[in-house]
């Protein structure tokens, strides 16, 4: 059962920021993640602040410089079927289409998808783990088959979002509005590793709202995709996924950005793998070298070393398909 909380629905951004700056206030977009967390007592809320009335968070439009602005309240279903996103930013459209189930994509928003809390069963369960009020990461010596093989440091969650890796690969920028005004943060700097702070997943400060995502104009010769591997074909979170953004010069790769999902506490960029592609045709030799480079430095736990092979496999499969 949901606990009791106050519910407010501000009509303007300043009002929403004021409401969210109060201790114990939580933002509510589609509610598909928030309400489950409150019901399961993952965290508490004294006030739930609905963002649904905020016009600034709505709509998809081209800006004058050819970038695409997507309001944070845009649903995953709208993103998956938007003609400009499917044509120019297929990695994002495919990430949105791969998330959750049709019902959840109709209700869940881009902002909520990016800011959703981790799915680790210790964090979500009745455990006072390091990400809550405790000191231990129970996955370290516990059931860790779905946990991180990169970037775990006292907490081994994986980042659950299927759109966030695409936004990093597309060099998108978040606009955040809070008590101190607006700021723009590239998605490459938006997510927080446990080594920096294991209590939060993003740089959002108290009272701050993610209002929009801006994706730069796609460069000439750019291609990309999001491929996701999961345990079952219906809805499920990624065991691993790959968002790619590759600029071709003739038949050679000029520049590649590769970002993995399901393997680290943040969308995990693999620069050493990207270097293996630059200057080469996207052939079997290059993609296999990229796969090997991507997993160098992996630190699997007792039950998740299978993810190393998944990463190599998804890089080969997704890039050859491009
Ligand atoms: C059964 C199930 C399966 C799922 N499968 C997947 C999956 O495969 N892939 C995937 O990526 N996701 C998955 N999800 C997660 C998620 O619920 C949805 O993807 C959805 O996009 C979340 O959006 P929302 O608008 O409902 O977020 P909400 O539930 O409203 O919010 C989620 C969190 O983000 C915060 N928040 C929301 N909007 C903002 C904002 N604009 N600014 C700042 N903070 C904000 C909230 O306070 C809350 O903590 C799944 C969820 C469920 C229940």
């Amino acid at each position: 059962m949901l606990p009791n909380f106050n519910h407010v629905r501000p009509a303007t951004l300043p009002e929403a920021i004021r409401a969210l700056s109060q201790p114990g206030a939580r933002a509510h977009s589609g509610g598909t993640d928030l309400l489950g967390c409150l019901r399961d007592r993952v965290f508490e809320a004294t006030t739930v602040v609905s963002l649904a009335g905020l016009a600034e968070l709505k709509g998809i439009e081209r800006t004058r410089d050819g970038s695409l602005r997507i309001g944070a309240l845009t649903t995953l279903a709208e993103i998956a079927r938007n003609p400009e996103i499917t044509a120019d930013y297929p990695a994002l459209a495919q990430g949105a289409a791969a998330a959750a189930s049709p019902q959840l994509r109709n209700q869940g928003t881009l902002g909520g998808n990016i800011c959703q809390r981790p799915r680790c069963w210790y964090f979500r369960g009745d455990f006072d783990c390091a990400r809550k009020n405790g000191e231990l990461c129970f996955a370290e010596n516990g059931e860790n088959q779905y946990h991180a093989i990169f970037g775990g440091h006292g907490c081994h969650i994986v980042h659950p979002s299927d759109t966030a890796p695409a936004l990093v690969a597309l060099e998108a920028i978040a606009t955040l509005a809070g008590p101190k005004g607006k700021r723009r943060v590239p998605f490459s700097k938006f997510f927080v590793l446990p080594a920096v702070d294991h209590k939060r997943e993003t740089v959002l400060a108290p009272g701050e709202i993610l209002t929009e995502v801006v994706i730069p104009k796609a460069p000439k010769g750019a291609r990309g995709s999001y491929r996701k591997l999961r345990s079952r074909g219906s809805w499920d979170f990624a065991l691993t996924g790959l968002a790619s953004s590759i600029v071709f010069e003739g038949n050679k790769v000029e520049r590649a950005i590769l970002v993995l999902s399901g393997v680290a506490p943040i969308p995990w960029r693999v620069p050493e793998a990207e270097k293996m592609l630059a200057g080469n045709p996207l052939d079997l030799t290059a993609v296999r070298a990229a796969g090997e480079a991507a997993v160098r430095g992996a630190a699997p736990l007792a039950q998740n070393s299978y993810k190393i092979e998944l990463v190599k496999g998804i890089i080969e499969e997704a890039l050859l398909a491009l």
Side-chain angles (χ1 to χ4, degrees):
M1 218 172 65
L2 272 174
N4 291 329
F5 48 75
N6 298 316
H7 184 264
V8 295
R9 190 172 167 162
T12 66
L13 192 53
E15 278 174 52
I17 293 168
R18 257 196 310 279
L20 265 179
S21 302
Q22 302 308 312
R26 303 272 178 184
H28 175 285
S29 288
T32 61
D33 180 47
L34 178 76
L35 297 181
C37 287
L38 295 180
R39 183 199 56 207
D40 296 340
R41 311 304 201 258
V42 178
F43 51 76
E44 291 171 352
T46 48
T47 305
V48 166
V49 181
S50 169
L51 305 182
L54 305 180
E56 292 94 328
L57 273 64
K58 294 181 182 161
I60 301 178
E61 72 237 341
R62 282 276 171 208
T63 60
R64 252 177 288 158
D65 67 355
S67 303
L68 195 72
R69 177 207 165 270
I70 308 175
L73 281 176
T74 309
T75 65
L76 297 178
E78 288 170 313
I79 289 172
R81 65 169 179 254
N82 179 277
E84 292 192 78
I85 301 178
T86 49
D88 289 355
Y89 310 108
L92 179 60
Q94 290 164 14
S101 63
Q103 293 91 333
L104 289 159
R105 292 195 290 275
N106 283 335
Q107 176 73 14
T109 65
L110 182 62
N113 189 265
I114 296 163
C115 300
Q116 62 177 298
R117 303 303 311 273
R119 286 275 155 181
C120 168
W121 41 39
Y122 296 109
F123 174 71
R124 295 263 166 167
D126 206 7
F127 295 84
D128 248 344
C129 73
R131 194 161 285 272
K132 292 198 284 200
N133 300 317
E135 284 168 15
L136 289 178
C137 172
F138 294 98
E140 230 155 64
N141 297 308
E143 293 294 324
N144 50 37
Q145 51 269 50
Y146 299 127
H147 287 79
I149 59 170
F150 300 104
H153 183 94
C155 170
H156 297 265
I157 59 157
V158 294
H159 199 275
S161 167
D162 285 310
T163 60
L167 295 172
V168 177
L170 294 167
E171 299 183 297
I173 293 165
T175 305
L176 312 182
K180 294 185 183 156
K182 282 196 178 179
R183 59 181 178 134
R184 302 183 83 213
V185 180
F187 276 99
S188 56
K189 298 203 164 94
F190 182 78
F191 300 101
V192 174
L193 275 169
V196 176
D197 186 344
H198 56 264
K199 298 278 190 232
R200 62 193 182 128
E201 295 87 47
T202 72
V203 298
L204 280 169
E208 263 188 329
I209 298 171
L210 169 61
T211 59
E212 66 182 17
V213 167
V214 177
I215 314 180
K217 186 176 176 187
K220 205 165 161 275
R223 288 162 81 172
S225 67
Y226 180 71
R227 172 99 172 97
K228 172 178 177 181
L229 298 178
R230 50 190 148 184
S231 292
R232 49 182 179 179
S234 56
W235 62 265
D236 216 340
F237 289 88
L239 295 173
T240 187
L242 176 72
S244 62
S245 171
I246 299 190
V247 180
F248 287 89
E249 171 82 64
N251 74 335
K252 290 194 176 157
V253 172
E254 187 191 304
R255 184 163 175 259
I257 302 183
L258 305 180
V259 186
L260 297 166
S261 60
V263 291
I266 62 172
W268 191 252
R269 193 167 165 184
V270 281
E272 294 308 315
E274 295 165 5
K275 281 186 208 151
M276 293 294 159
L277 302 179
N280 294 315
L282 204 56
D283 60 14
L284 191 59
T285 311
V287 301
R288 287 211 169 141
E292 292 297 336
V295 297
R296 240 169 262 142
L301 300 164
Q303 298 166 359
N304 67 3
S305 55
Y306 72 94
K307 287 194 177 186
I308 291 180
E309 293 310 312
L310 290 191
V311 168
K312 289 197 272 185
I314 203 170
I315 287 179
E316 182 174 324
E317 191 182 84
L319 295 188
L320 289 181
L322 278 183

